[in-house]
Amino acid sequence: MSTAYATNTSNLVDVTFWFVAIIFLVILLLILYFFLAKTAKKGPKNKEIKMAKKYYLDRNLYIAIIKVFEEYYVTLVTSDSTEVLRKLNNEEVEEITKENLNFVDTLSKVLKREKTPKEKEDKKSKK
């Protein structure tokens, strides 16, 4: 009567195989998680709907100019809802989109502005 006993080397091979398989599975799940997290942040891509401008009023409240197909709308967006305020005509859209100041232009305007009489008095009193 022959009995088959497991040898030490076969147990070691089984444990090593399962250890490598589990490590491989964890790495595969991490790659899948990071891929899905990256795509979920971007959101779905849609060429028909686009946000042209966004003006923040508060942290959770802003006015957005949204392009839907070939029409532009002014919307009020809160953390809970979105409401269309009105539709814009082509002249208004051109006026809003041409107003594209960059940071350097804005900074130079602030630095070049005239001081108010109160600011002049404060400056004189500090001397």
Side-chain angles (χ1 to χ4, degrees):
M1 180 171 2
S2 67
T3 56
Y5 292 104
T7 61
N8 288 340
T9 56
S10 66
N11 284 341
L12 185 61
V13 169
D14 287 343
V15 170
T16 306
F17 170 76
W18 285 111
F19 181 74
V20 170
I22 289 172
I23 295 294
F24 178 74
L25 182 64
V26 167
I27 291 171
L28 185 66
L29 288 174
L30 283 173
I31 291 171
L32 182 64
Y33 169 76
F34 285 117
F35 175 74
L36 289 175
K38 191 175 186 179
T39 16
K41 282 183 184 177
K42 291 180 182 176
K45 297 287 182 184
N46 194 345
K47 294 180 181 180
E48 290 84 20
I49 300 173
K50 179 182 171 186
M51 187 175 303
K53 285 256 190 189
K54 187 188 286 190
Y55 300 99
Y56 280 96
L57 303 174
D58 193 15
R59 183 172 45 163
N60 295 326
L61 177 69
Y62 61 90
I63 293 176
I65 298 173
I66 298 175
K67 179 183 178 186
V68 179
F69 296 106
E70 295 301 319
E71 298 175 343
Y72 287 87
Y73 296 94
V74 177
T75 58
L76 179 67
V77 182
T78 66
S79 59
D80 298 328
S81 66
T82 302
E83 184 178 334
V84 176
L85 299 177
R86 71 183 187 98
K87 183 179 173 182
L88 295 174
N89 58 29
N90 291 337
E91 294 83 28
E92 292 171 325
V93 172
E94 289 173 8
E95 183 180 327
I96 291 170
T97 55
K98 76 175 182 179
E99 172 193 309
N100 196 8
L101 298 175
N102 60 17
F103 176 74
V104 176
D105 294 337
T106 307
L107 181 63
S108 65
K109 283 183 180 180
V110 168
L111 293 176
K112 289 179 182 177
R113 72 176 173 83
E114 282 194 34
K115 295 186 179 185
T116 63
K118 184 175 185 208
E119 289 175 336
K120 289 179 183 178
E121 287 178 18
D122 291 341
K123 190 175 180 182
K124 287 179 183 178
S125 65
K126 287 182 181 178
K127 290 183 179 180

